[in-house]
PDB file of all heavy atoms in Angstrom:
ATOM      1  N   GLN A  12     -27.126 -77.431 -64.127  1.00 74.00           N
ATOM      2  CA  GLN A  12     -26.589 -77.327 -62.770  1.00 74.00           C
ATOM      3  C   GLN A  12     -25.071 -77.187 -62.813  1.00 74.00           C
ATOM      4  O   GLN A  12     -24.500 -76.368 -62.089  1.00 74.00           O
ATOM      5  CB  GLN A  12     -26.967 -78.535 -61.930  1.00 74.00           C
ATOM      6  CG  GLN A  12     -26.384 -78.428 -60.524  1.00 74.00           C
ATOM      7  CD  GLN A  12     -26.535 -79.665 -59.707  1.00 74.00           C
ATOM      8  OE1 GLN A  12     -26.746 -80.747 -60.237  1.00 74.00           O
ATOM      9  NE2 GLN A  12     -26.407 -79.528 -58.411  1.00 74.00           N
ATOM     10  N   ILE A  15     -24.226 -73.659 -63.729  1.00 74.00           N
ATOM     11  CA  ILE A  15     -24.571 -72.668 -62.709  1.00 74.00           C
ATOM     12  C   ILE A  15     -23.563 -72.674 -61.574  1.00 74.00           C
ATOM     13  O   ILE A  15     -23.176 -71.619 -61.083  1.00 74.00           O
ATOM     14  CB  ILE A  15     -26.002 -72.919 -62.181  1.00 74.00           C
ATOM     15  CG1 ILE A  15     -27.016 -72.553 -63.268  1.00 74.00           C
ATOM     16  CG2 ILE A  15     -26.268 -72.122 -60.916  1.00 74.00           C
ATOM     17  CD1 ILE A  15     -28.442 -72.961 -62.951  1.00 74.00           C
ATOM     18  N   VAL A  16     -23.099 -73.840 -61.144  1.00 72.00           N
ATOM     19  CA  VAL A  16     -22.235 -73.906 -59.969  1.00 72.00           C
ATOM     20  C   VAL A  16     -20.745 -73.881 -60.293  1.00 72.00           C
ATOM     21  O   VAL A  16     -19.932 -73.716 -59.388  1.00 72.00           O
ATOM     22  CB  VAL A  16     -22.550 -75.140 -59.090  1.00 72.00           C
ATOM     23  CG1 VAL A  16     -23.994 -75.100 -58.632  1.00 72.00           C
ATOM     24  CG2 VAL A  16     -22.237 -76.434 -59.804  1.00 72.00           C
ATOM     25  N   GLU A  17     -20.365 -74.011 -61.556  1.00 70.00           N
ATOM     26  CA  GLU A  17     -18.933 -74.001 -61.862  1.00 70.00           C
ATOM     27  C   GLU A  17     -18.357 -72.609 -61.612  1.00 70.00           C
ATOM     28  O   GLU A  17     -19.010 -71.599 -61.875  1.00 70.00           O
ATOM     29  CB  GLU A  17     -18.672 -74.458 -63.292  1.00 70.00           C
ATOM     30  CG  GLU A  17     -19.171 -73.531 -64.376  1.00 70.00           C
ATOM     31  CD  GLU A  17     -19.018 -74.105 -65.776  1.00 70.00           C
ATOM     32  OE1 GLU A  17     -18.303 -75.097 -65.964  1.00 70.00           O
ATOM     33  OE2 GLU A  17     -19.632 -73.547 -66.686  1.00 70.00           O
ATOM     34  N   ASP A  42     -26.117 -67.098 -67.732  1.00 75.00           N
ATOM     35  CA  ASP A  42     -25.451 -66.211 -66.771  1.00 75.00           C
ATOM     36  C   ASP A  42     -26.426 -65.577 -65.780  1.00 75.00           C
ATOM     37  O   ASP A  42     -26.040 -65.246 -64.656  1.00 75.00           O
ATOM     38  CB  ASP A  42     -24.658 -65.118 -67.493  1.00 75.00           C
ATOM     39  CG  ASP A  42     -23.249 -65.558 -67.825  1.00 75.00           C
ATOM     40  OD1 ASP A  42     -22.793 -66.582 -67.262  1.00 75.00           O
ATOM     41  OD2 ASP A  42     -22.594 -64.876 -68.635  1.00 75.00           O
ATOM     42  N   ILE A  43     -27.658 -65.402 -66.174  1.00 75.00           N
ATOM     43  CA  ILE A  43     -28.663 -64.892 -65.234  1.00 75.00           C
ATOM     44  C   ILE A  43     -28.749 -65.835 -64.041  1.00 75.00           C
ATOM     45  O   ILE A  43     -28.723 -65.402 -62.885  1.00 75.00           O
ATOM     46  CB  ILE A  43     -30.039 -64.730 -65.915  1.00 75.00           C
ATOM     47  CG1 ILE A  43     -29.977 -63.586 -66.933  1.00 75.00           C
ATOM     48  CG2 ILE A  43     -31.138 -64.505 -64.876  1.00 75.00           C
ATOM     49  CD1 ILE A  43     -31.187 -63.490 -67.836  1.00 75.00           C
ATOM     50  N   TYR A  44     -28.823 -67.126 -64.299  1.00 77.00           N
ATOM     51  CA  TYR A  44     -28.888 -68.108 -63.221  1.00 77.00           C
ATOM     52  C   TYR A  44     -27.562 -68.193 -62.465  1.00 77.00           C
ATOM     53  O   TYR A  44     -27.537 -68.327 -61.247  1.00 77.00           O
ATOM     54  CB  TYR A  44     -29.268 -69.489 -63.766  1.00 77.00           C
ATOM     55  CG  TYR A  44     -30.678 -69.513 -64.285  1.00 77.00           C
ATOM     56  CD1 TYR A  44     -30.937 -69.296 -65.628  1.00 77.00           C
ATOM     57  CD2 TYR A  44     -31.741 -69.720 -63.423  1.00 77.00           C
ATOM     58  CE1 TYR A  44     -32.243 -69.298 -66.106  1.00 77.00           C
ATOM     59  CE2 TYR A  44     -33.042 -69.724 -63.894  1.00 77.00           C
ATOM     60  CZ  TYR A  44     -33.280 -69.509 -65.234  1.00 77.00           C
ATOM     61  OH  TYR A  44     -34.548 -69.502 -65.693  1.00 77.00           O
ATOM     62  N   ARG A  45     -26.451 -68.117 -63.215  1.00 76.00           N
ATOM     63  CA  ARG A  45     -25.124 -68.167 -62.570  1.00 76.00           C
ATOM     64  C   ARG A  45     -24.947 -67.016 -61.589  1.00 76.00           C
ATOM     65  O   ARG A  45     -24.386 -67.188 -60.517  1.00 76.00           O
ATOM     66  CB  ARG A  45     -24.008 -68.108 -63.619  1.00 76.00           C
ATOM     67  CG  ARG A  45     -23.813 -69.382 -64.399  1.00 76.00           C
ATOM     68  CD  ARG A  45     -22.688 -69.258 -65.422  1.00 76.00           C
ATOM     69  NE  ARG A  45     -21.482 -68.672 -64.871  1.00 76.00           N
ATOM     70  CZ  ARG A  45     -20.589 -69.316 -64.124  1.00 76.00           C
ATOM     71  NH1 ARG A  45     -20.787 -70.579 -63.807  1.00 76.00           N
ATOM     72  NH2 ARG A  45     -19.510 -68.710 -63.681  1.00 76.00           N
ATOM     73  N   SER A  46     -25.411 -65.844 -61.932  1.00 77.00           N
ATOM     74  CA  SER A  46     -25.228 -64.691 -61.048  1.00 77.00           C
ATOM     75  C   SER A  46     -26.190 -64.720 -59.864  1.00 77.00           C
ATOM     76  O   SER A  46     -25.877 -64.195 -58.797  1.00 77.00           O
ATOM     77  CB  SER A  46     -25.381 -63.387 -61.829  1.00 77.00           C
ATOM     78  OG  SER A  46     -26.696 -63.242 -62.308  1.00 77.00           O
ATOM     79  N   MET A  47     -27.335 -65.331 -60.030  1.00 81.00           N
ATOM     80  CA  MET A  47     -28.318 -65.400 -58.951  1.00 81.00           C
ATOM     81  C   MET A  47     -28.004 -66.502 -57.932  1.00 81.00           C
ATOM     82  O   MET A  47     -28.371 -66.395 -56.774  1.00 81.00           O
ATOM     83  CB  MET A  47     -29.726 -65.630 -59.516  1.00 81.00           C
ATOM     84  CG  MET A  47     -30.255 -64.471 -60.329  1.00 81.00           C
ATOM     85  SD  MET A  47     -30.341 -62.924 -59.409  1.00 81.00           S
ATOM     86  CE  MET A  47     -31.567 -63.305 -58.194  1.00 81.00           C
ATOM     87  N   TYR A  48     -27.329 -67.535 -58.356  1.00 80.00           N
ATOM     88  CA  TYR A  48     -27.084 -68.683 -57.474  1.00 80.00           C
ATOM     89  C   TYR A  48     -26.302 -68.306 -56.216  1.00 80.00           C
ATOM     90  O   TYR A  48     -26.728 -68.649 -55.112  1.00 80.00           O
ATOM     91  CB  TYR A  48     -26.392 -69.798 -58.258  1.00 80.00           C
ATOM     92  CG  TYR A  48     -26.253 -71.081 -57.472  1.00 80.00           C
ATOM     93  CD1 TYR A  48     -27.376 -71.814 -57.104  1.00 80.00           C
ATOM     94  CD2 TYR A  48     -25.008 -71.552 -57.097  1.00 80.00           C
ATOM     95  CE1 TYR A  48     -27.264 -72.986 -56.388  1.00 80.00           C
ATOM     96  CE2 TYR A  48     -24.882 -72.726 -56.371  1.00 80.00           C
ATOM     97  CZ  TYR A  48     -26.010 -73.437 -56.019  1.00 80.00           C
ATOM     98  OH  TYR A  48     -25.893 -74.603 -55.300  1.00 80.00           O
ATOM     99  N   PRO A  49     -25.169 -67.589 -56.319  1.00 79.00           N
ATOM    100  CA  PRO A  49     -24.471 -67.202 -55.084  1.00 79.00           C
ATOM    101  C   PRO A  49     -25.331 -66.324 -54.172  1.00 79.00           C
ATOM    102  O   PRO A  49     -25.301 -66.478 -52.949  1.00 79.00           O
ATOM    103  CB  PRO A  49     -23.242 -66.437 -55.579  1.00 79.00           C
ATOM    104  CG  PRO A  49     -23.061 -66.854 -56.982  1.00 79.00           C
ATOM    105  CD  PRO A  49     -24.428 -67.185 -57.502  1.00 79.00           C
ATOM    106  N   MET A  50     -26.111 -65.421 -54.754  1.00 85.00           N
ATOM    107  CA  MET A  50     -26.974 -64.574 -53.936  1.00 85.00           C
ATOM    108  C   MET A  50     -28.030 -65.415 -53.218  1.00 85.00           C
ATOM    109  O   MET A  50     -28.382 -65.144 -52.076  1.00 85.00           O
ATOM    110  CB  MET A  50     -27.644 -63.501 -54.798  1.00 85.00           C
ATOM    111  CG  MET A  50     -26.687 -62.422 -55.247  1.00 85.00           C
ATOM    112  SD  MET A  50     -27.516 -61.080 -56.114  1.00 85.00           S
ATOM    113  CE  MET A  50     -27.591 -61.743 -57.763  1.00 85.00           C
ATOM    114  N   ARG A  51     -28.517 -66.444 -53.884  1.00 86.00           N
ATOM    115  CA  ARG A  51     -29.522 -67.313 -53.273  1.00 86.00           C
ATOM    116  C   ARG A  51     -28.926 -68.101 -52.107  1.00 86.00           C
ATOM    117  O   ARG A  51     -29.586 -68.321 -51.094  1.00 86.00           O
ATOM    118  CB  ARG A  51     -30.105 -68.253 -54.341  1.00 86.00           C
ATOM    119  CG  ARG A  51     -31.148 -69.183 -53.816  1.00 86.00           C
ATOM    120  CD  ARG A  51     -32.393 -68.436 -53.334  1.00 86.00           C
ATOM    121  NE  ARG A  51     -33.290 -69.358 -52.693  1.00 86.00           N
ATOM    122  CZ  ARG A  51     -33.545 -69.403 -51.382  1.00 86.00           C
ATOM    123  NH1 ARG A  51     -32.982 -68.544 -50.560  1.00 86.00           N
ATOM    124  NH2 ARG A  51     -34.365 -70.289 -50.884  1.00 86.00           N
ATOM    125  N   MET A  52     -27.665 -68.529 -52.233  1.00 85.00           N
ATOM    126  CA  MET A  52     -27.028 -69.253 -51.131  1.00 85.00           C
ATOM    127  C   MET A  52     -26.843 -68.338 -49.926  1.00 85.00           C
ATOM    128  O   MET A  52     -27.084 -68.748 -48.784  1.00 85.00           O
ATOM    129  CB  MET A  52     -25.703 -69.851 -51.581  1.00 85.00           C
ATOM    130  CG  MET A  52     -25.892 -71.035 -52.501  1.00 85.00           C
ATOM    131  SD  MET A  52     -24.359 -71.852 -52.935  1.00 85.00           S
ATOM    132  CE  MET A  52     -23.593 -70.613 -53.963  1.00 85.00           C
ATOM    133  N   VAL A  53     -26.439 -67.091 -50.158  1.00 89.00           N
ATOM    134  CA  VAL A  53     -26.304 -66.130 -49.065  1.00 89.00           C
ATOM    135  C   VAL A  53     -27.663 -65.923 -48.407  1.00 89.00           C
ATOM    136  O   VAL A  53     -27.788 -65.956 -47.181  1.00 89.00           O
ATOM    137  CB  VAL A  53     -25.711 -64.789 -49.561  1.00 89.00           C
ATOM    138  CG1 VAL A  53     -25.818 -63.719 -48.487  1.00 89.00           C
ATOM    139  CG2 VAL A  53     -24.268 -64.962 -49.994  1.00 89.00           C
ATOM    140  N   GLU A  54     -28.678 -65.740 -49.217  1.00 90.00           N
ATOM    141  CA  GLU A  54     -30.032 -65.530 -48.693  1.00 90.00           C
ATOM    142  C   GLU A  54     -30.501 -66.731 -47.868  1.00 90.00           C
ATOM    143  O   GLU A  54     -31.077 -66.573 -46.788  1.00 90.00           O
ATOM    144  CB  GLU A  54     -30.981 -65.283 -49.860  1.00 90.00           C
ATOM    145  CG  GLU A  54     -32.394 -65.002 -49.474  1.00 90.00           C
ATOM    146  CD  GLU A  54     -33.265 -64.793 -50.702  1.00 90.00           C
ATOM    147  OE1 GLU A  54     -33.630 -65.804 -51.348  1.00 90.00           O
ATOM    148  OE2 GLU A  54     -33.553 -63.641 -51.020  1.00 90.00           O
ATOM    149  N   VAL A  80     -19.080 -72.361 -49.305  1.00 87.00           N
ATOM    150  CA  VAL A  80     -19.640 -73.189 -50.379  1.00 87.00           C
ATOM    151  C   VAL A  80     -18.559 -73.715 -51.323  1.00 87.00           C
ATOM    152  O   VAL A  80     -18.816 -74.654 -52.066  1.00 87.00           O
ATOM    153  CB  VAL A  80     -20.764 -72.473 -51.164  1.00 87.00           C
ATOM    154  CG1 VAL A  80     -21.927 -72.155 -50.242  1.00 87.00           C
ATOM    155  CG2 VAL A  80     -20.258 -71.257 -51.880  1.00 87.00           C
ATOM    156  N   PRO A  84     -20.196 -77.396 -51.046  1.00 81.00           N
ATOM    157  CA  PRO A  84     -21.236 -77.003 -52.002  1.00 81.00           C
ATOM    158  C   PRO A  84     -22.541 -77.748 -51.728  1.00 81.00           C
ATOM    159  O   PRO A  84     -22.543 -78.808 -51.105  1.00 81.00           O
ATOM    160  CB  PRO A  84     -20.649 -77.405 -53.357  1.00 81.00           C
ATOM    161  CG  PRO A  84     -19.669 -78.483 -53.042  1.00 81.00           C
ATOM    162  CD  PRO A  84     -19.140 -78.184 -51.664  1.00 81.00           C
ATOM    163  N   SER A  85     -23.621 -77.177 -52.186  1.00 77.00           N
ATOM    164  CA  SER A  85     -24.922 -77.818 -52.028  1.00 77.00           C
ATOM    165  C   SER A  85     -24.916 -79.144 -52.773  1.00 77.00           C
ATOM    166  O   SER A  85     -24.483 -79.223 -53.912  1.00 77.00           O
ATOM    167  CB  SER A  85     -26.022 -76.918 -52.574  1.00 77.00           C
ATOM    168  OG  SER A  85     -27.260 -77.555 -52.469  1.00 77.00           O
ATOM    169  N   ARG A  86     -25.401 -80.167 -52.117  1.00 74.00           N
ATOM    170  CA  ARG A  86     -25.477 -81.506 -52.723  1.00 74.00           C
ATOM    171  C   ARG A  86     -26.920 -81.965 -52.856  1.00 74.00           C
ATOM    172  O   ARG A  86     -27.182 -83.128 -53.118  1.00 74.00           O
ATOM    173  CB  ARG A  86     -24.720 -82.512 -51.863  1.00 74.00           C
ATOM    174  CG  ARG A  86     -23.273 -82.184 -51.649  1.00 74.00           C
ATOM    175  CD  ARG A  86     -22.449 -82.653 -52.807  1.00 74.00           C
ATOM    176  NE  ARG A  86     -21.041 -82.441 -52.524  1.00 74.00           N
ATOM    177  CZ  ARG A  86     -20.197 -81.978 -53.401  1.00 74.00           C
ATOM    178  NH1 ARG A  86     -20.602 -81.687 -54.614  1.00 74.00           N
ATOM    179  NH2 ARG A  86     -18.939 -81.803 -53.098  1.00 74.00           N
ATOM    180  N   SER A  87     -27.848 -81.057 -52.665  1.00 72.00           N
ATOM    181  CA  SER A  87     -29.257 -81.419 -52.633  1.00 72.00           C
ATOM    182  C   SER A  87     -30.057 -80.483 -53.531  1.00 72.00           C
ATOM    183  O   SER A  87     -29.613 -79.396 -53.867  1.00 72.00           O
ATOM    184  CB  SER A  87     -29.758 -81.313 -51.191  1.00 72.00           C
ATOM    185  OG  SER A  87     -31.143 -81.479 -51.126  1.00 72.00           O
ATOM    186  N   LEU A  90     -31.872 -76.042 -50.567  1.00 78.00           N
ATOM    187  CA  LEU A  90     -30.793 -75.397 -49.817  1.00 78.00           C
ATOM    188  C   LEU A  90     -31.010 -75.508 -48.311  1.00 78.00           C
ATOM    189  O   LEU A  90     -30.244 -74.945 -47.529  1.00 78.00           O
ATOM    190  CB  LEU A  90     -30.676 -73.923 -50.231  1.00 78.00           C
ATOM    191  CG  LEU A  90     -30.209 -73.682 -51.668  1.00 78.00           C
ATOM    192  CD1 LEU A  90     -30.162 -72.188 -51.977  1.00 78.00           C
ATOM    193  CD2 LEU A  90     -28.862 -74.320 -51.936  1.00 78.00           C
ATOM    194  N   LEU A  93     -27.920 -76.793 -46.606  1.00 85.00           N
ATOM    195  CA  LEU A  93     -26.664 -76.159 -47.021  1.00 85.00           C
ATOM    196  C   LEU A  93     -25.797 -75.754 -45.843  1.00 85.00           C
ATOM    197  O   LEU A  93     -24.592 -75.929 -45.856  1.00 85.00           O
ATOM    198  CB  LEU A  93     -26.946 -74.933 -47.904  1.00 85.00           C
ATOM    199  CG  LEU A  93     -25.720 -74.170 -48.403  1.00 85.00           C
ATOM    200  CD1 LEU A  93     -24.835 -75.054 -49.275  1.00 85.00           C
ATOM    201  CD2 LEU A  93     -26.155 -72.928 -49.164  1.00 85.00           C
TER     202      LEU A  93
END
Side-chain angles (χ1 to χ4, degrees):
Q12 179 189 20
I15 289 171
V16 301
E17 67 186 346
D42 272 345
I43 291 170
Y44 293 94
R45 286 180 47 79
S46 65
M47 293 301 294
Y48 187 66
M50 288 186 276
R51 180 65 187 109
M52 287 185 291
V53 169
E54 182 181 77
V80 298
S85 178
R86 302 277 185 222
S87 172
L90 293 179
L93 180 61

